[in-house]
Amino acid sequence: MALYSEKVMDHFLNPRNVGTIENPSGVGKVGNPVCGDVMQIEIKVEDNRIEDIKFKTFGCAAAIATSSMVTEMVKGKTLEEARAITNKAVAEALDGLPPVKMHCSNLAAEALHEAINQYQEKVRSNNN
Amino acid sequence: MVKRVYMDHSATTPLDPRVLKAMEPYLTEEYGNPSSIHRMGQIARNGVETAREQVARLINAAPEEIIFTSGGTEADNLAILGLMEAMPPRGQHIITSAIEHHAVLDVFAYLERKGYQVTFLPVNEYGMVEPETLERAMKPNTALVSIMHANNEIGTIQPIKKLAAIAHEGGAVFHTDAVQTVGRIPVDVKDMGVDMLSCSAHKLYGPKGVGCLYKKKGIRLARRLFGGAQERKLRSGTENVPGIVGFGAAAEIAGEVMSESIEHLTKLGRNLSGSLLRLIPDTILTGDPVNRLPGHVSLCFRYVEGESILLMLDQLGIMASSGSACTSGSLDPSHVLLAIGLPHEIAHGSVRLSLGRTNTQEDVDYVVQVLPGIIERLRMMSPMTGEGVM
Ligand SMILES: Cc1ncc(COP(=O)(O)O)c(C=O)c1O
Ligand code: FES
């Protein structure tokens, strides 16, 4: 089994922002084509900022830790700032991931981007 | 220090202290080469030959039918490749099962690439090779059938006697990978009617890096290693004397404690799987409910992933394993779990707790006390759990 950094283990054992949001502004649910994991991120947006964010993950320790980390990184950020966060940045914030586990961090970033997209599309269609 | 509860005996077992004691002289003052003429050589030779008798006795073979190897993997490779190389290089059909260890499966895949006709037999939902399936797969040119005795992931024990008889009726040689059974349940090569059988010392409280191939008199193999012609020319290289001596001692002890150990492990295994299945909803036992290795508890917990479970167990000092895609280097779920028909997402939540001689009811109680909480925590994090599943 891969050995994880202390930060990964901390986020895995004490994940931040687990759960769901009532009436979320946007939801991103993505599956990992590589190993079959599923990750869901929900965001509450106010004044173009991510006021609240929650996640749920069906996956390995790296998947759980990256979801937890990404929620912590973007909470309170503007949508533009949040969108700029890459999977690499998430992995770096966790002091790195084993190479075989890098794909798990894609999932977290993708789910976040999808949640933001969904929200922005909703706003756009409401404006029409 | 965290408490240590080792429940991964299908991966490897601890060295029995009596085995270590038997090995010690050969690691220190008795360092002779068994091929040497002088007295130190002969002392080492006696150590190896005594071990050969001990191992042979455990499986009801003759000592000269035991070829020592570096373990189960080498024994499997030697049996299959050695047999095929000893035959004319054309037209053979060979059969194995879909749930073999990679030490067999990958050799068959290699031979398939080399142009052999290969059949990978399917198994039923319990991981059993049904004798009729083998009967139907046999062809006039079937040269070899290799089916494992018990599976390392799901613990299912195959009806080897029947399968070997079918292979023989069709004129094929029968090999079995008995790495998971030798020393754990009775293995009698004559009663089973097998031509070749692989085993490994580290699964029976012996050292790692040593095992053997049983090869019935009259079966011809081509050598895979060229050199000093040790082990009746079939396995060149100076013998791993301390390892072989340890293997012998472990085999002797295994024979002595077997019936007691089976009783102990059957009871603990039933308690463990019974309690976990009762306490944790949406859980299934994989493998055959009856014909399984004693003390082998393999489960799938829905909606959660195996690596996460293992790491949380490890935090509490419990050591187990999983066939989840996330725990495999290839990120594919275990071929065994897929072969018994489990969908990917259920195979994802697999955990194997394999008990051993030194486990106690107290160990079982500890796992039963903490595992339901771990599954519940992970399910709360999982997007797969519908409302009310918990
Ligand atoms: C069924 C089976 N075959 C073969 C092996 C390989 O044995 P070894 O580790 O001695 O090479 C193992 C052990 O992992 C096994 O469980
Ligand atoms: S989510 Fe499967 S390997 Fe990380």
Side-chain angles (χ1 to χ4, degrees):
Chain A
M1 192 189 309
L3 273 183
Y4 292 121
S5 72
E6 267 177 45
K7 272 221 180 112
V8 173
M9 286 308 286
D10 177 38
H11 276 265
F12 166 60
L13 294 170
N14 313 292
R16 335 301 199 237
N17 307 309
V18 178
T20 51
I21 292 174
E22 230 176 285
N23 301 322
S25 317
V27 179
K29 190 165 179 176
V30 297
N32 190 332
V34 184
C35 60
D37 303 291
V38 181
M39 190 182 291
Q40 174 186 305
I41 285 187
E42 300 190 351
I43 52 173
K44 182 110 207 153
V45 180
E46 264 166 47
D47 296 335
N48 200 44
R49 268 180 204 283
I50 297 183
E51 281 303 314
D52 199 8
I53 178 163
K54 297 272 190 216
F55 83 87
K56 283 203 165 191
T57 292
F58 170 46
C60 71
I64 292 173
T66 48
S67 331
S68 166
M69 180 52 99
V70 94
T71 61
E72 203 166 61
M73 285 167 83
V74 302
K75 206 167 181 172
K77 295 265 159 60
T78 65
L79 294 182
E80 291 67 38
E81 286 166 337
R83 197 184 272 291
I85 285 177
T86 60
N87 63 316
K88 240 173 120 192
V90 181
E92 268 162 30
L94 287 165
D95 292 340
L97 285 170
V100 66
K101 295 289 185 178
M102 278 307 287
H103 73 277
C104 315
S105 61
N106 295 340
L107 214 53
E110 264 174 48
L112 172 68
H113 293 170
E114 199 180 300
I116 296 174
N117 286 348
Q118 205 206 48
Y119 164 72
Q120 291 182 328
E121 242 153 64
K122 243 197 287 181
V123 173
R124 220 171 293 136
S125 54
N126 284 349
N127 289 347
N128 285 345
Chain B
M1 207 179 88
V2 252
K3 181 172 170 139
R4 266 198 188 196
V5 175
Y6 185 80
M7 289 200 180
D8 202 9
H9 292 83
S10 281
T12 195
T13 57
L15 194 69
D16 186 298
R18 291 165 287 184
V19 172
L20 176 62
K21 203 140 180 238
M23 291 169 72
E24 252 166 0
Y26 298 91
L27 288 160
T28 51
E29 67 266 26
E30 300 300 351
Y31 51 80
N33 184 323
S35 299
S36 298
I37 295 297
H38 51 66
R39 71 190 66 194
M40 283 183 66
Q42 292 318 295
I43 289 170
R45 169 59 55 206
N46 286 342
V48 169
E49 296 314 316
T50 302
R52 201 184 306 279
E53 286 164 19
Q54 289 167 313
V55 171
R57 205 173 302 128
L58 180 65
I59 60 173
N60 194 24
E64 61 274 19
E65 294 174 315
I66 302 296
I67 305 155
F68 286 118
T69 65
S70 65
T73 302
E74 190 190 335
D76 286 338
N77 275 260
L78 175 60
I80 301 160
L81 294 173
L83 185 80
M84 296 328 289
E85 270 208 1
M87 291 186 177
R90 268 174 300 117
Q92 271 96 3
H93 171 233
I94 53 180
I95 300 177
T96 190
S97 83
I99 61 165
E100 298 297 312
H101 189 275
H102 284 290
V104 169
L105 209 55
D106 292 5
V107 180
F108 273 76
Y110 165 77
L111 289 173
E112 189 171 38
R113 289 196 300 276
K114 286 267 163 190
Y116 287 84
Q117 270 176 274
V118 179
T119 301
F120 296 93
L121 296 177
V123 294
N124 70 16
E125 62 181 307
Y126 301 119
M128 199 69 86
V129 175
E130 284 164 352
E132 307 77 61
T133 313
L134 175 59
E135 244 160 29
R136 279 197 301 272
M138 293 292 296
K139 297 181 185 182
N141 61 336
T142 305
L144 167 68
V145 177
S146 176
I147 294 170
M148 72 198 315
H149 191 192
N151 183 268
N152 43 307
E153 290 187 43
I154 56 175
T156 302
I157 301 171
Q158 303 294 340
I160 294 298
K161 196 170 173 171
K162 274 191 201 152
L163 298 171
I166 294 167
H168 289 153
E169 253 166 56
V173 170
F174 191 88
H175 165 255
T176 187
D177 174 340
V179 168
Q180 288 292 332
T181 51
V182 170
R184 269 166 95 177
I185 59 173
V187 171
D188 179 328
V189 292
K190 298 219 168 66
D191 179 58
M192 289 158 84
V194 298
D195 301 306
M196 294 191 280
L197 175 145
S198 306
C199 66
S200 181
H202 73 99
K203 311 281 187 181
L204 50 130
Y205 306 85
K208 292 169 181 60
V210 58
C212 75
L213 177 67
Y214 155 79
K215 181 181 76 68
K216 191 168 139 188
K217 256 172 254 160
I219 300 289
R220 278 193 51 236
L221 296 184
R223 72 186 83 178
R224 305 287 309 151
L225 288 175
F226 295 85
Q230 286 88 346
E231 297 297 293
R232 305 177 155 248
K233 301 195 181 142
L234 279 172
R235 209 284 180 170
S236 284
T238 298
E239 298 85 343
N240 171 5
V241 179
I244 290 170
V245 167
F247 185 13
E252 181 155 344
I253 296 167
E256 285 164 11
V257 303
M258 187 172 297
S259 53
E260 195 188 326
S261 158
I262 289 175
E263 198 181 316
H264 175 67
L265 291 177
T266 304
K267 187 165 133 252
L268 291 188
R270 288 212 179 119
N271 291 349
L272 181 59
S273 58
S275 302
L276 294 176
L277 286 164
R278 185 160 40 77
L279 293 171
I280 308 175
D282 292 309
T283 302
I284 57 165
L285 181 75
T286 57
D288 195 282
V290 182
N291 296 307
R292 61 188 297 124
L293 287 170
H296 184 106
V297 179
S298 46
L299 302 163
C300 284
F301 302 102
R302 289 201 72 161
Y303 315 119
V304 291
E305 189 282 318
E307 188 206 79
S308 300
I309 304 170
L310 294 192
L311 286 174
M312 289 203 171
L313 283 171
D314 187 52
Q315 288 292 310
L316 298 169
I318 299 164
M319 280 150 277
S321 69
S322 166
S324 155
C326 301
T327 58
S328 78
S330 66
L331 297 173
D332 291 322
S334 130
H335 63 285
V336 177
L337 299 177
L338 295 183
I340 59 173
L342 293 183
H344 281 229
E345 68 271 18
I346 294 184
H348 229 44
S350 85
V351 170
R352 177 187 73 185
L353 297 149
S354 45
L355 305 180
R357 271 185 219 158
T358 47
N359 283 128
T360 60
Q361 181 61 41
E362 200 182 307
D363 294 342
V364 167
D365 292 342
Y366 180 52
V367 174
V368 169
Q369 186 200 324
V370 302
L371 188 49
I374 289 176
I375 302 299
E376 193 174 326
R377 255 188 87 184
L378 287 169
R379 281 182 178 168
M380 302 229 283
M381 276 187 230
S382 169
M384 309 300 282
T385 30
E387 297 298 334
V389 164
M390 299 303 305

